[in-house]
Amino acid sequence: MANRSDIRTRARNYLYEATADLFTDARVNQGISDTLSELPRKGVYLEEIHTTPRVVDQLDYSLPSGALKVEKVDVNLGTSAKPDWDEIKGWDNYAGALWLRQRPTDTYDMRIHIRKKFTDLTDDTTATDVPSDQLELVAVGAAIKCYQMLIGYLVHAKNWDSVAKPDGIGLPQVKAWIHDLREIYNKMINDQRRFPRPREINMVD
């Protein structure tokens, strides 16, 4: 499995900086974290089915770490050998928990379909939960973040007559790089975006 170091190497390929120079590892790592954080808002996220037993009289059930939204809830009216999953209506998703409308009178298993965000990577060795076909997307996003940092570096220059560093690069060129990379990024987003299942709306209850 890939880790943060692998993603950083991919991002550096776009920055054409094989080893840390202008863009330190810390800055590229920040770009990776920011990209992982923003992807769910763009429709790129993990899907997971969380199974937990109902508890008699208990309305709230904690969701796994990283859960963003509940899409569907089922209850097993059958057995473990022959499950019969029946969809539950009338629940809410709030403050990291699933809330049922009515207090259960049984201990049947629930199956909670959730959207999850990608796990932030705090070291270089932990395996990422980003699927292999989406690693390049994170790398491009991180490269864009780094170029945005470079704009801040150039703007900070005190002498506007010499805002042409490093090595003759100015704001217009950096903005052009961001524009080109963002086109690639947006295309990847469109290719990888998930479309949540439609929810039925109960117009009676």
Side-chain angles (χ1 to χ4, degrees):
M1 291 290 291
N3 53 36
R4 187 174 69 178
S5 178
D6 299 322
I7 300 174
R8 192 171 61 240
T9 297
R10 289 171 179 247
R12 288 196 178 283
N13 288 338
Y14 287 96
L15 298 169
Y16 208 73
E17 188 178 86
T19 57
D21 186 11
L22 176 64
F23 301 108
T24 64
D25 283 352
R27 293 191 185 279
V28 182
N29 291 343
Q30 185 61 55
I32 292 171
S33 291
D34 291 345
T35 301
L36 291 174
S37 176
E38 79 176 10
L39 284 177
R41 298 194 302 272
K42 298 178 179 295
V44 181
Y45 49 83
L46 296 173
E47 292 180 325
E48 180 178 310
I49 297 178
H50 175 62
T51 302
T52 185
R54 296 206 292 196
V55 178
V56 173
D57 286 338
Q58 181 174 316
L59 291 176
D60 61 305
Y61 297 82
S62 296
L63 297 173
S65 176
L68 293 169
K69 185 178 181 181
V70 174
E71 293 284 359
K72 179 184 176 185
V73 182
D74 299 325
V75 62
N76 185 10
L77 300 180
T79 64
S80 57
K82 294 184 177 180
D84 179 15
W85 294 102
D86 187 58
E87 185 171 358
I88 298 176
K89 304 292 186 181
W91 48 264
D92 198 6
N93 172 202
Y94 185 74
L98 171 76
W99 293 80
L100 302 180
R101 176 179 297 175
Q102 297 178 332
R103 297 184 182 278
T105 58
D106 58 68
T107 58
Y108 296 152
D109 280 342
M110 279 192 305
R111 199 170 57 174
I112 308 170
H113 303 245
I114 58 176
R115 300 188 204 178
K116 284 187 67 177
K117 64 182 179 180
F118 299 107
T119 303
D120 189 23
L121 301 171
T122 57
D123 60 64
D124 281 356
T125 57
T126 302
T128 180
D129 52 12
V130 177
S132 58
D133 60 342
Q134 294 176 351
L135 292 174
E136 202 70 15
L137 172 59
V138 180
V140 174
I144 292 172
K145 304 296 183 188
C146 286
Y147 281 141
Q148 289 172 334
M149 296 177 199
L150 180 56
I151 286 182
Y153 169 78
L154 292 172
V155 169
H156 186 66
K158 305 302 183 186
N159 182 357
W160 284 92
D161 292 333
S162 61
V163 180
K165 53 183 182 181
D167 299 330
I169 301 302
L171 290 174
Q173 187 162 0
V174 177
K175 289 179 178 179
W177 291 342
I178 292 175
H179 177 270
D180 291 345
L181 268 184
R182 194 168 291 283
E183 284 192 344
I184 297 172
Y185 184 65
N186 289 338
K187 183 178 184 305
M188 289 181 171
I189 290 286
N190 288 333
D191 291 341
Q192 299 291 343
R193 179 179 289 124
R194 295 182 184 274
F195 296 94
R197 65 189 301 275
R199 292 274 304 278
E200 292 183 4
I201 301 176
N202 189 337
M203 303 298 290
V204 178
D205 191 9

